[in-house]
Amino acid sequence: MKIYFILYSIAFILSMGFFLLCEQNFSIRPLQYVFSILGIVCVFHSRKTSSQGLKDSWLVNTWILLMLGVFLFTTAYAFRSFHINGVDFSIFEWMLVNKPHSHYLHSAIYNVNHFGIHPSWILLPLIPIYQIFASPWVLLIIGATVVWLAGLALFHQGNIHGLTKWDSLILATGFWLSAFAGRLIQQGFRIESFYPLAIILFLHSFETKSLYYIFFAALFCLSIKEDAPLFVAPVLLLESYRKQSYHYLLLGLFSLGFLVIQIKYLQPYFLGSTYISPPYLKFWGHLGSNLNQILWSAFSDPIEICLDILNSSWWTIYLPFLGLPLISLRSTVCILLPMLVLGSASSHSQMHTYQSYYPVPLFAALCWAMIEIYPYFQRPGRYKIWQVACILSPIWHSGWITWRAPNHTLLHEVAIVRSKIQQVAPTLQVCAQPVLFPHLGTDINLQLLDKNCHNAILAPHADPFPLQSNQIDWLVKYNQNIYPSEQLVVIPHIQQPNLWKSLLQKTFAKTINKTKNGHKKA
């Protein structure tokens, strides 16, 4: 496999050089197709060796560091090309900024304390870092790095469990270049970026038989999001049965209790007087309008739930590894409840069809399963099947890495407007498209562009989400542009506000509901 990684490394370096030279959008998908074929050829023309010599370590280390460079490079240019939307990114940035101030963990996008939507305790250690280095680049670097660390963990765990270093590297590469990892790093940062690393460490912890490792790995998972117990509890209960350990049983029950406490008590507490039912419950709106109705409908009509799950795209998560992870009981149990949750959410197409970031934790569990099932594929005929499955895993699904040309003009214009607002009216409430939020910074009073806006900053040629292009065009057409620019429009006072409100009264309500319910662009 040495020639495979040498040529792949050269191809990546030349591709990044070509992109920097021409600054034209570049997708790595053609590279994946070519090197999938080359990888299969190498598999059937190479022998299995227990390890490679020290002379090959440079290649392994070079590839690992190259993948980190590719992740940071991809995230940076997604940001500079205005392909990172504030709805997905600025939620967390504003939470970190507002921690020490009166607006505790407040999100300008949702206009609520976001811990009331998704309690994400893992963000708390990032607060002091962000107070020192208050820049969106902090989250961009963290988001790319933690996803890369998940692949690095796979590599090291593969070595521990008897995989050759080439096989460990093939598996890690299958994760790094997968569509699922690509979706995360091209969205800049989101709390789910921590899931792959946490899931892989949690599943590995049972191999160490260390209660401390298992405990802290479980806490790592539970600190990410309120739905983490769906992954953690079933595995702990399974291991408590298999190993007759009351420690696993207690930890499993604790994780389930933590789920109940967060949903029933902590989320209402953080929302305070603004408390509403969690917006994501509308993903299961066909079953009821609140959690009790949804659970009652699910238990009273299990046939409908089963049909929803069977009609979902659950099988697509197994495609990247040709279904081989089904052999692993631990990983299957880990993703069983989340698969039931995703499959039953037929009111939300992206969840039901396993799009966007939703299946990323499941894919991480399947990657770890490839380590667990490795001993079953040590016979000569089976061994190459395992290798081929890992090599082909990146070519499945959409979401592959694409480097996008930076928008220098818009970057320059946004920087000038931000500077002027900071100097002249830093407390003035300004509405902006979410795509501009990460670039305008957190030291001005930003608000989501809506029907109540009086001041607006627009980029008509950029992503209009959550509004529509015709609504942005209307604002530009009927209002005075006081800032002479090519791509940015600044409206100091919206003219004909009644017409503006009338135009948005119906469409905006629907759009905002979709925003809060997670209907974001993939």
Side-chain angles (χ1 to χ4, degrees):
M1 298 303 296
K2 182 176 179 180
I3 187 65
Y4 171 77
F5 284 106
I6 289 176
L7 293 177
Y8 220 159
S9 299
I10 294 173
F12 262 109
I13 293 171
L14 291 177
S15 298
M16 286 190 287
F18 173 80
F19 170 78
L20 290 173
L21 183 64
C22 300
E23 288 197 340
Q24 298 292 326
N25 291 353
F26 185 91
S27 169
I28 71 164
R29 192 52 137 190
L31 289 181
Q32 291 179 320
Y33 288 136
V34 170
F35 281 90
S36 293
I37 297 172
L38 178 60
I40 293 173
V41 171
C42 291
V43 164
F44 286 97
H45 285 81
S46 63
R47 288 184 172 184
K48 178 183 178 182
T49 56
S50 59
S51 64
Q52 78 277 359
L54 291 176
K55 63 181 181 179
D56 292 335
S57 296
W58 69 270
L59 178 57
V60 174
N61 295 332
T62 298
W63 179 257
I64 291 173
L65 292 176
L66 178 61
M67 287 296 99
L68 175 59
V70 168
F71 274 32
L72 295 172
F73 186 85
T74 303
T75 298
Y77 277 93
F79 179 75
R80 290 175 56 79
S81 61
F82 290 82
H83 278 81
I84 292 178
N85 198 294
V87 173
D88 298 316
F89 179 82
S90 294
I91 287 173
F92 308 107
E93 186 182 17
W94 280 80
M95 288 171 67
L96 298 179
V97 170
N98 285 327
K99 169 62 176 73
H101 305 299
S102 59
H103 293 83
Y104 182 79
L105 295 170
H106 182 270
S107 169
I109 292 285
Y110 283 86
N111 200 29
V112 294
N113 180 325
H114 199 258
F115 261 48
I117 307 298
H118 293 303
S120 304
W121 307 98
I122 193 66
L123 285 176
L124 298 182
L126 302 183
I127 292 173
I129 298 175
Y130 210 82
Q131 299 309 307
I132 300 173
F133 307 102
S135 167
W137 290 101
V138 173
L139 285 185
L140 292 171
I141 292 172
I142 291 174
T145 302
V146 295
V147 178
W148 171 78
L149 284 173
L152 186 62
L154 281 173
F155 173 75
H156 284 294
Q157 290 175 16
N159 292 336
I160 293 172
H161 288 279
L163 279 69
T164 69
K165 285 196 175 180
W166 291 124
D167 287 341
S168 298
L169 200 59
I170 291 170
L171 176 59
T173 301
F175 171 79
W176 281 326
L177 299 184
S178 68
F180 302 102
R183 294 171 188 174
L184 283 179
I185 62 174
Q186 291 178 102
Q187 292 182 357
F189 175 89
R190 55 181 323 118
I191 200 63
E192 290 81 6
S193 300
F194 289 98
Y195 258 141
L197 178 61
I199 294 292
I200 289 168
L201 292 178
F202 174 66
L203 292 174
H204 170 69
S205 66
F206 294 96
E207 299 298 322
T208 67
K209 299 180 182 179
S210 168
L211 286 176
Y212 293 106
Y213 187 175
I214 295 169
F215 176 75
F216 286 109
L219 285 186
F220 183 20
C221 289
L222 295 176
S223 69
I224 296 173
K225 207 174 169 184
E226 77 279 3
D227 59 1
L230 300 179
F231 298 95
V232 172
V235 177
L236 287 167
L237 297 178
L238 170 68
E239 294 301 323
S240 71
Y241 172 77
R242 293 169 70 178
K243 299 178 181 179
Q244 297 298 303
S245 170
Y246 72 91
H247 297 98
Y248 297 157
L249 176 62
L250 291 177
L251 190 53
L253 293 177
F254 166 78
S255 64
L256 291 175
F258 190 51
L259 171 65
V260 174
I261 291 172
Q262 291 193 104
I263 292 177
K264 189 171 181 60
Y265 299 105
L266 293 181
Q267 286 177 310
Y269 168 76
F270 284 117
L271 286 173
S273 60
T274 62
Y275 177 71
I276 54 174
S277 296
Y280 51 77
L281 289 180
K282 293 183 180 180
F283 298 171
W284 298 270
H286 61 292
L287 298 176
S289 58
N290 56 55
L291 183 59
N292 291 335
Q293 291 180 5
I294 291 170
L295 292 176
W296 174 256
S297 298
F299 285 110
S300 62
D301 192 3
I303 295 178
E304 181 183 355
I305 299 298
C306 291
L307 290 176
D308 282 341
I309 294 170
L310 291 175
N311 289 329
S312 70
S313 301
W314 65 270
W315 51 274
T316 61
I317 197 69
Y318 286 99
L319 277 180
F321 292 115
L322 307 181
L324 299 184
L326 284 167
I327 302 172
S328 168
L329 177 61
R330 187 180 295 160
S331 66
T332 300
V333 169
C334 179
I335 67 175
L336 184 59
L337 278 181
M339 287 182 70
L340 296 178
V341 171
L342 289 174
S344 61
S346 59
S347 294
H348 189 279
S349 60
Q350 287 191 358
M351 289 185 69
H352 199 240
T353 56
Y354 286 65
Q355 297 297 313
S356 190
Y357 60 88
Y358 296 106
V360 169
L362 284 66
F363 181 71
L366 300 188
C367 288
W368 187 88
M370 294 298 286
I371 296 176
E372 186 180 23
I373 67 176
Y374 187 76
Y376 297 106
F377 290 86
Q378 294 310 290
R379 295 182 182 179
R382 297 179 182 177
Y383 175 62
K384 295 187 184 300
I385 295 175
W386 187 95
Q387 287 185 308
V388 169
C390 291
I391 288 173
L392 291 180
S393 60
I395 68 172
W396 303 98
H397 298 290
S398 60
W400 54 85
I401 291 174
T402 299
W403 301 321
R404 304 183 187 279
N407 192 331
H408 295 294
T409 301
L410 190 53
L411 285 168
H412 177 67
E413 293 174 358
V414 169
I416 293 176
V417 169
R418 180 180 67 241
S419 177
K420 288 186 175 182
I421 293 175
Q422 291 171 344
Q423 294 173 7
V424 178
T427 61
L428 178 67
Q429 189 176 70
V430 179
C431 295
Q433 289 169 244
V435 73
L436 298 176
F437 263 64
H439 300 270
L440 288 169
T442 56
D443 49 359
I444 61 178
N445 189 3
L446 282 180
Q447 177 186 340
L448 187 67
L449 188 64
D450 66 11
K451 64 180 183 295
N452 298 315
C453 293
H454 296 286
N455 307 284
I457 303 177
L458 310 173
H461 302 293
D463 181 8
F465 183 80
L467 299 182
Q468 300 171 5
S469 295
N470 66 328
Q471 295 168 343
I472 301 295
D473 292 339
W474 184 92
L475 271 176
V476 175
K477 179 179 179 181
Y478 286 96
N479 290 274
Q480 179 68 33
N481 175 9
I482 67 162
Y483 182 69
S485 62
E486 295 181 35
Q487 298 192 25
L488 198 66
V489 176
V490 177
I491 303 174
H493 183 72
I494 293 177
Q495 303 298 319
Q496 304 182 34
N498 292 332
L499 182 59
W500 165 239
K501 291 184 179 181
S502 176
L503 177 71
L504 295 185
Q505 192 65 43
K506 296 180 180 179
T507 56
F508 182 79
K510 295 178 181 178
T511 309
I512 285 299
N513 284 335
K514 288 182 179 180
T515 304
K516 292 183 177 180
N517 296 339
H519 288 258
K520 304 178 179 70
K521 293 189 175 181

